[in-house]
Coordinates of all heavy atoms in Angstrom, one line a residue:
D100 N 0.9 -14.9 -10.6 CA 1.4 -16.2 -11.1 C 0.3 -16.8 -11.9 O -0.7 -16.2 -12.3 CB 1.9 -17.1 -10.0 CG 0.9 -17.3 -8.9 OD1 -0.3 -17.4 -9.2 OD2 1.3 -17.5 -7.8
A101 N 0.4 -18.1 -12.2 CA -0.6 -18.8 -13.0 C -2.0 -18.8 -12.3 O -3.0 -18.9 -13.0 CB -0.2 -20.2 -13.3
D102 N -2.0 -18.8 -11.0 CA -3.3 -18.9 -10.3 C -3.8 -17.6 -9.7 O -5.0 -17.4 -9.4 CB -3.2 -19.9 -9.1 CG -2.9 -21.3 -9.6 OD1 -3.4 -21.7 -10.7 OD2 -2.0 -21.9 -8.9
T103 N -2.9 -16.6 -9.6 CA -3.3 -15.3 -9.0 C -2.9 -14.1 -9.9 O -1.8 -14.2 -10.5 CB -2.5 -15.2 -7.6 OG1 -2.8 -16.4 -6.9 CG2 -2.9 -14.0 -6.9
T104 N -3.7 -13.2 -9.9 CA -3.4 -11.9 -10.5 C -3.4 -10.8 -9.5 O -3.9 -11.0 -8.4 CB -4.4 -11.6 -11.7 OG1 -3.9 -10.4 -12.4 CG2 -5.8 -11.3 -11.1
T105 N -2.7 -9.7 -9.8 CA -2.7 -8.6 -8.8 C -3.6 -7.5 -9.3 O -3.4 -7.0 -10.5 CB -1.3 -8.1 -8.5 OG1 -0.5 -9.2 -8.1 CG2 -1.3 -7.0 -7.5
I106 N -4.5 -7.0 -8.5 CA -5.4 -6.0 -8.9 C -4.9 -4.7 -8.2 O -4.6 -4.7 -7.0 CB -6.9 -6.2 -8.4 CG1 -7.4 -7.6 -8.8 CG2 -7.8 -5.1 -8.8 CD1 -7.5 -7.8 -10.3
L107 N -4.8 -3.6 -8.9 CA -4.5 -2.3 -8.3 C -5.8 -1.6 -7.9 O -6.6 -1.3 -8.8 CB -3.7 -1.5 -9.3 CG -3.3 -0.1 -8.9 CD1 -2.4 -0.1 -7.7 CD2 -2.7 0.7 -10.0
A108 N -5.9 -1.4 -6.6 CA -7.1 -0.7 -6.1 C -6.7 0.7 -5.7 O -5.7 0.9 -5.0 CB -7.6 -1.5 -4.9
L109 N -7.4 1.7 -6.3 CA -7.1 3.1 -6.0 C -8.3 3.6 -5.2 O -9.5 3.4 -5.6 CB -7.0 3.9 -7.3 CG -5.9 3.6 -8.2 CD1 -6.2 2.5 -9.2 CD2 -5.6 4.9 -9.0
S110 N -8.0 4.3 -4.1 CA -9.1 5.0 -3.3 C -8.6 6.4 -3.1 O -7.4 6.7 -2.9 CB -9.2 4.3 -2.0 OG -9.6 2.9 -2.1
V111 N -9.6 7.3 -3.0 CA -9.3 8.7 -2.6 C -9.8 8.9 -1.2 O -11.0 8.7 -0.9 CB -10.0 9.7 -3.6 CG1 -9.7 11.1 -3.2 CG2 -9.5 9.4 -5.0
I112 N -8.8 9.3 -0.4 CA -9.1 9.5 1.1 C -8.7 10.9 1.4 O -7.5 11.2 1.5 CB -8.4 8.4 1.9 CG1 -8.9 7.0 1.5 CG2 -8.7 8.7 3.4 CD1 -8.1 5.9 2.0
D113 N -9.7 11.7 1.7 CA -9.4 13.1 2.1 C -8.4 13.8 1.1 O -7.5 14.5 1.5 CB -8.9 13.2 3.5 CG -9.0 14.6 4.1 OD1 -9.8 15.4 3.7 OD2 -8.1 14.9 5.0
G114 N -8.6 13.6 -0.2 CA -7.8 14.2 -1.2 C -6.5 13.6 -1.5 O -5.8 14.0 -2.4
E115 N -6.2 12.5 -0.8 CA -5.0 11.7 -1.1 C -5.3 10.4 -1.7 O -6.3 9.8 -1.4 CB -4.2 11.4 0.2 CG -3.7 12.7 0.9 CD -2.9 12.4 2.2 OE1 -3.2 11.3 2.8 OE2 -2.1 13.2 2.6
L116 N -4.5 10.1 -2.7 CA -4.7 8.8 -3.5 C -4.0 7.7 -2.7 O -2.8 7.8 -2.4 CB -4.2 9.0 -4.9 CG -4.5 8.0 -5.9 CD1 -6.1 8.0 -6.1 CD2 -3.9 8.4 -7.2
E117 N -4.7 6.6 -2.5 CA -4.2 5.4 -1.9 C -4.2 4.3 -2.9 O -5.2 4.1 -3.5 CB -5.0 5.0 -0.6 CG -4.4 3.8 0.1 CD -5.2 3.5 1.3 OE1 -5.0 4.1 2.4 OE2 -6.1 2.6 1.2
L118 N -3.0 3.7 -3.1 CA -2.9 2.6 -4.0 C -2.6 1.3 -3.3 O -1.7 1.3 -2.4 CB -1.7 2.9 -5.0 CG -1.7 4.2 -5.7 CD1 -0.4 4.4 -6.4 CD2 -2.9 4.4 -6.6
R119 N -3.3 0.3 -3.6 CA -3.1 -1.0 -2.9 C -3.0 -2.1 -4.0 O -3.9 -2.1 -4.9 CB -4.3 -1.3 -2.0 CG -4.4 -0.5 -0.8 CD -5.5 -1.0 0.2 NE -6.6 -1.7 -0.4 CZ -7.8 -1.1 -0.8 NH1 -8.0 0.1 -0.6 NH2 -8.7 -1.9 -1.3
A120 N -2.1 -3.0 -3.8 CA -2.0 -4.2 -4.7 C -2.7 -5.3 -4.0 O -2.3 -5.7 -2.9 CB -0.5 -4.5 -4.9
E121 N -3.7 -5.8 -4.6 CA -4.6 -6.8 -4.0 C -4.4 -8.1 -4.8 O -4.8 -8.2 -6.0 CB -6.1 -6.4 -4.0 CG -6.4 -5.2 -3.3 CD -6.5 -5.4 -1.8 OE1 -6.5 -6.6 -1.4 OE2 -6.6 -4.4 -1.1
P122 N -3.9 -9.2 -4.2 CA -3.8 -10.5 -4.9 C -5.3 -11.0 -5.1 O -6.1 -10.9 -4.2 CB -3.0 -11.4 -4.0 CG -3.0 -10.7 -2.7 CD -3.3 -9.3 -2.9
F123 N -5.5 -11.6 -6.2 CA -6.9 -12.1 -6.5 C -6.8 -13.3 -7.4 O -6.0 -13.4 -8.3 CB -7.7 -11.0 -7.2 CG -9.2 -11.2 -7.3 CD1 -10.0 -10.9 -6.2 CD2 -9.7 -11.8 -8.4 CE1 -11.3 -11.1 -6.2 CE2 -11.1 -12.0 -8.4 CZ -11.9 -11.7 -7.3
P124 N -7.6 -14.4 -7.1 CA -7.6 -15.6 -8.0 C -7.9 -15.1 -9.4 O -8.8 -14.3 -9.6 CB -8.7 -16.4 -7.4 CG -9.0 -15.9 -6.1 CD -8.6 -14.5 -6.0
R125 N -7.2 -15.7 -10.3 CA -7.5 -15.4 -11.8 C -9.0 -15.8 -12.1 O -9.3 -16.9 -12.0 CB -6.6 -16.2 -12.7 CG -5.2 -15.6 -12.6 CD -4.4 -15.8 -13.9 NE -3.1 -15.3 -13.8 CZ -2.7 -14.1 -14.2 NH1 -3.5 -13.3 -14.8 NH2 -1.4 -13.7 -14.0
A126 N -9.8 -14.8 -12.3 CA -11.2 -14.9 -12.6 C -11.4 -15.2 -14.1 O -10.6 -14.8 -14.9 CB -12.0 -13.7 -12.1
T127 N -12.5 -15.8 -14.4 CA -12.8 -16.0 -15.8 C -13.3 -14.8 -16.5 O -13.3 -14.7 -17.7 CB -13.8 -17.2 -15.9 OG1 -15.0 -16.8 -15.2 CG2 -13.3 -18.5 -15.4
H128 N -13.8 -13.8 -15.7 CA -14.5 -12.7 -16.3 C -14.2 -11.4 -15.4 O -14.2 -11.6 -14.2 CB -16.0 -12.9 -16.4 CG -16.7 -11.9 -17.2 ND1 -17.2 -10.7 -16.7 CD2 -17.0 -11.8 -18.5 CE1 -17.8 -10.0 -17.6 NE2 -17.7 -10.7 -18.7
D129 N -14.1 -10.3 -16.0 CA -13.8 -9.1 -15.2 C -15.0 -8.8 -14.3 O -14.8 -8.3 -13.2 CB -13.7 -7.8 -16.1 CG -12.3 -7.8 -16.8 OD1 -11.5 -8.6 -16.5 OD2 -12.2 -6.9 -17.7
G130 N -16.2 -9.2 -14.7 CA -17.4 -9.0 -13.8 C -17.2 -9.7 -12.5 O -17.7 -9.2 -11.4
D131 N -16.5 -10.8 -12.4 CA -16.3 -11.5 -11.2 C -15.4 -10.7 -10.2 O -15.6 -10.6 -9.0 CB -15.5 -12.9 -11.4 CG -16.3 -13.8 -12.3 OD1 -17.6 -13.7 -12.3 OD2 -15.7 -14.7 -12.9
V132 N -14.4 -10.0 -10.8 CA -13.6 -9.1 -10.0 C -14.3 -7.9 -9.5 O -14.3 -7.5 -8.4 CB -12.3 -8.7 -10.9 CG1 -11.4 -7.7 -10.1 CG2 -11.5 -9.9 -11.4
F133 N -15.1 -7.3 -10.4 CA -15.9 -6.1 -10.1 C -16.8 -6.5 -8.9 O -16.9 -5.7 -7.9 CB -16.8 -5.6 -11.2 CG -16.0 -5.2 -12.4 CD1 -16.7 -5.1 -13.7 CD2 -14.7 -4.8 -12.4 CE1 -16.0 -4.7 -14.8 CE2 -14.0 -4.4 -13.5 CZ -14.7 -4.3 -14.7
A134 N -17.5 -7.6 -9.0 CA -18.4 -8.0 -7.9 C -17.7 -8.3 -6.6 O -18.2 -7.9 -5.5 CB -19.2 -9.3 -8.4
A135 N -16.5 -8.9 -6.7 CA -15.8 -9.1 -5.4 C -15.4 -7.8 -4.7 O -15.3 -7.8 -3.5 CB -14.6 -9.9 -5.7
F136 N -15.2 -6.8 -5.5 CA -14.8 -5.5 -4.9 C -16.0 -4.6 -4.7 O -15.9 -3.4 -4.3 CB -13.8 -4.8 -5.8 CG -12.4 -5.3 -5.6 CD1 -12.0 -6.4 -6.4 CD2 -11.5 -4.8 -4.7 CE1 -10.7 -6.9 -6.2 CE2 -10.2 -5.3 -4.5 CZ -9.8 -6.4 -5.3
G137 N -17.2 -5.1 -5.0 CA -18.5 -4.3 -4.7 C -18.8 -3.3 -5.8 O -19.6 -2.4 -5.5
F138 N -18.3 -3.5 -7.0 CA -18.7 -2.6 -8.1 C -19.9 -3.1 -8.8 O -20.0 -4.2 -9.2 CB -17.5 -2.5 -9.1 CG -16.4 -1.6 -8.7 CD1 -15.5 -2.0 -7.8 CD2 -16.3 -0.3 -9.3 CE1 -14.4 -1.2 -7.4 CE2 -15.2 0.5 -9.0 CZ -14.3 0.1 -8.0
V139 N -20.9 -2.2 -8.9 CA -22.1 -2.5 -9.7 C -22.2 -1.4 -10.8 O -22.4 -0.3 -10.5 CB -23.4 -2.5 -8.8 CG1 -24.6 -2.7 -9.6 CG2 -23.3 -3.5 -7.7

Side-chain angles (χ1 to χ4, degrees):
D100 57 31
D102 299 321
T103 306
T104 188
T105 304
I106 308 295
L107 177 64
L109 296 87
S110 300
V111 179
I112 301 168
D113 196 27
E115 293 180 337
L116 194 58
E117 182 178 281
L118 309 173
R119 290 187 333 265
E121 299 279 351
F123 194 83
R125 288 209 183 260
T127 57
H128 190 273
D129 286 352
D131 299 337
V132 178
F133 299 158
F136 283 88
F138 280 75
V139 178

